[in-house]
């Protein structure tokens, strides 16, 4: 054998550094590497991470309190945030600001219209002093991420509502309520769906029959009449916090049935596999066999179902609140905000009231894209 042939064989037998790195990486690392290749899912994940920051720090992020009202500016249009000014009375000026409003009332319809007034400059600052609040419900603060330097000046970047509330501040607070309803509701539904579905498929027999009859009973009840009846049963004087938890619980109790049937079918197919028999012979308990051996084998499917369930729960809460069967003022959610947008007489003059609807669409798409990326990345047959 020549020296060149020996070197070629030696080179072919040398492992590729990239392949060697993959063989030494953990499953979590492999999933992360695969997820990063899904660009749309990665961007959506950053978007959802920003939403979680807004949920945690909504009092700081919002320019005003959720109870803030300015009766002088009802359905005022959005203002454009500017970095410099050349049209003002003082010539060129640098700094964040918005143009103030000039109002005019129609003598026949008595409708007030607002136009931007470059001569009325409203200075805007970051970390400005404003209305007091308690961060995380504990730390007293009065600083806001963005707001007018003079708290009495109008600064409404997304416009105002029919009650004179800042739409941006309301949107920030509504994100906390609507997103948390979806996340908490899905966690409760998944806990019920996975546990009951796993028990039903693993044990079979009378346990399976009992769980399946319960699922069929719940699925046989029409959703809209059920929501109407529950909404009518809730006292009108019930506080927003209590109504919030009841709505979350109701959505969770209705949403677990589909997942339970899917999990049951997977367990029925897996309980005769060799790795399940080996785990039983090894002395593992029933709970360990179900949740440490069988459930992780189809984790990609569970992740996909989870990613689709959260936006579904958010849409359900939004629809209920929009129809007046869910959360109600003074509670703030995307559905409550869209109640004003359901009136054409209001929407024709204030199209910015549809911004909460655009947020719903954006968040639902982001959850779906992240779910697709996680499902593909967690697929064990791709690694």
């Amino acid at each position: 054998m020549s020296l060149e042939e020996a070197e070629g064989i030696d080179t072919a037998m040398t492992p590729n550094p990239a392949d060697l790195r993959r063989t030494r990486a953990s499953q979590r690392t492999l999933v992360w590497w695969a997820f990063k290749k899904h660009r749309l899912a990665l961007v959506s994940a950053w978007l959802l991470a920003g939403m979680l920051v807004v949920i945690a720090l909504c009092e700081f992020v919002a320019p005003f309190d959720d109870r803030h009202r300015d009766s002088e500016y009802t359905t005022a249009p959005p203002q454009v945030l500017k970095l410099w000014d050349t049209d003002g009375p003082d010539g060129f000026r640098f700094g964040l600001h918005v143009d103030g409003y000039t109002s005019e009332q129609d003598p026949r319809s008595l409708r007030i219209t607002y136009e931007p007034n470059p001569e009325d400059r409203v200075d805007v600052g970051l970390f400005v002093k404003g209305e007091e609040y308690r961060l995380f419900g504990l730390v007293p603060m009065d600083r806001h991420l963005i707001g007018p330097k003079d708290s009495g000046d109008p600064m409404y970047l997304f416009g105002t509502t029919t009650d004179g509330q800042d739409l941006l501040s309301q949107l920030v607070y509504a994100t906390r309520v609507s997103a948390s309803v979806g996340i908490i509701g899905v966690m409760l539904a998944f806990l019920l769906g996975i546990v009951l579905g796993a028990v039903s498929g693993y044990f079979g027999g009378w346990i399976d029959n009992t769980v399946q009859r319960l699922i069929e009973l719940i699925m046989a009840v029409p959703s809209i009449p059920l929501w109407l009846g529950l909404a009518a049963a809730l006292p009108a004087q019930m506080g927003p916090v209590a109504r919030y938890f009841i709505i979350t619980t109701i959505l969770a109790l209705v949403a677990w049935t589909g997942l339970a049937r899917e999990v049951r079918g997977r367990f029925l197919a897996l309980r005769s596999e060799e790795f399940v028999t080996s785990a039983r012979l090894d002395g593992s308990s029933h709970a360990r066999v179900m949740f440490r051996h069988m459930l992780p084998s189809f984790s990609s499917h569970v992740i996909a179902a989870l990613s689709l369930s959260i936006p579904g729960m958010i849409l359900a809460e939004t629809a209920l609140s929009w129809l007046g069967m869910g959360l109600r003022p003074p509670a703030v959610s995307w559905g409550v905000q869209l109640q004003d947008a359901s009136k054409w007489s209001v929407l024709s003059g204030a199209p910015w009231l549809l911004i909460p609807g655009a947020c719903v669409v954006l968040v639902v798409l982001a959850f779906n894209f992240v779910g697709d990326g996680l499902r593909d990345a967690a697929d064990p047959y791709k690694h």
Side-chain angles (χ1 to χ4, degrees):
M1 180 183 294
S2 64
L3 180 62
E4 291 79 3
E5 292 176 348
E7 290 179 351
I9 294 174
D10 189 33
T11 304
M13 295 179 63
T14 302
N16 189 350
D19 295 337
L20 187 62
R21 185 166 172 245
R22 290 182 64 87
T23 57
R24 295 178 177 177
S26 63
Q27 180 66 21
R28 185 179 301 178
T29 304
L30 292 174
V31 170
W32 170 241
W33 288 346
F35 181 76
K36 288 195 299 184
K37 296 179 181 179
H38 200 303
R39 300 298 182 185
L40 199 55
L42 190 62
V43 172
S44 300
W46 281 110
L47 175 65
L48 295 179
M51 184 188 71
L52 293 177
V53 173
V54 170
I55 291 174
L57 305 174
C58 71
E59 294 90 354
F60 168 71
V61 175
F64 302 99
D65 187 76
D66 60 339
R67 296 181 297 274
H68 174 84
R69 281 179 172 80
D70 193 342
S71 58
E72 295 184 8
Y73 301 99
T74 57
T75 60
Q79 296 168 307
V80 179
L81 189 63
K82 300 179 180 179
L83 190 56
W84 61 80
D85 180 19
T86 58
D87 300 328
D90 300 329
F92 180 82
R93 288 182 61 186
F94 185 82
L96 285 175
H97 70 283
V98 294
D99 294 334
Y101 291 112
T102 298
S103 60
E104 182 179 353
Q105 186 174 24
D106 191 314
R108 298 184 60 184
S109 63
L110 301 180
R111 183 174 182 175
I112 300 177
T113 57
Y114 299 91
E115 296 292 338
N117 182 12
E119 297 182 357
D120 183 14
R121 176 188 171 107
V122 177
D123 292 320
V124 176
L126 300 176
F127 307 104
V128 296
K129 188 174 182 179
E131 298 169 331
E132 296 183 353
Y133 59 90
R134 287 187 174 271
L135 189 64
F136 307 121
L138 300 172
V139 184
M141 291 184 63
D142 59 1
R143 295 289 171 177
H144 296 261
L145 177 62
I146 190 171
K149 292 184 177 180
D150 185 352
S151 58
D153 290 339
M155 190 215 73
Y156 305 120
L157 301 180
F158 283 7
T160 62
T161 65
T162 55
D163 296 331
Q165 295 175 306
D166 177 37
L167 185 59
L168 175 59
S169 300
Q170 295 288 300
L171 190 63
V172 170
Y173 281 93
T175 301
R176 168 183 282 183
V177 174
S178 294
S180 60
V181 165
I183 295 173
I184 296 174
V186 163
M187 293 307 171
L188 293 175
F190 258 63
L191 181 62
L192 288 172
I194 289 178
V195 171
L196 293 179
V199 169
S200 177
Y202 181 80
F203 291 104
W206 68 269
I207 297 178
D208 184 26
N209 289 330
T210 302
V211 174
Q212 294 310 305
R213 300 299 81 77
L214 176 62
I215 291 175
E216 291 169 0
L217 177 64
I218 295 175
M219 296 181 70
V221 179
S223 299
I224 294 181
L226 175 64
W227 290 336
L228 285 170
L230 293 173
L234 296 179
Q237 66 274 14
M238 178 178 290
V241 177
R243 184 176 288 270
Y244 164 82
F245 281 106
I246 290 178
I247 292 297
T248 303
T249 305
I250 291 171
L251 293 176
L253 292 176
V254 175
W256 66 272
T257 55
L259 177 65
R261 283 201 158 180
E262 295 176 6
V263 172
R264 170 186 176 267
R266 296 280 181 163
F267 270 72
L268 286 174
L270 291 173
R271 66 181 183 178
S272 59
E273 293 289 336
E274 293 182 357
F275 74 93
V276 177
T277 305
S278 300
R280 289 174 182 166
L281 294 176
D282 195 39
S284 299
S285 63
H286 292 306
R288 184 176 180 83
V289 172
M290 287 190 292
F291 300 113
R292 292 297 299 273
H293 295 277
M294 300 177 70
L295 186 62
S297 64
F298 57 97
S299 59
S300 61
H301 177 78
V302 173
I303 291 172
L306 176 65
S307 65
L308 292 175
S309 297
I310 293 178
M313 197 75 71
I314 292 174
L315 288 174
E317 183 279 324
T318 302
L320 285 174
S321 300
W322 179 67
L323 292 171
M325 297 184 294
L327 299 174
R328 298 176 183 174
V332 184
S333 72
W334 288 332
V336 173
Q337 286 186 295
L338 288 173
Q339 287 180 355
D340 287 338
S342 62
K343 305 172 186 176
W344 174 250
S345 58
V346 176
L347 188 60
S348 60
W352 55 87
L353 295 178
L354 282 175
I355 292 178
C359 290
V360 174
V361 174
L362 187 64
V363 169
V364 168
L365 288 176
F367 272 111
N368 288 335
F369 291 141
V370 169
D372 288 341
L374 288 175
R375 180 193 59 200
D376 296 339
D379 190 350
Y381 297 102
K382 289 191 176 185
H383 303 308

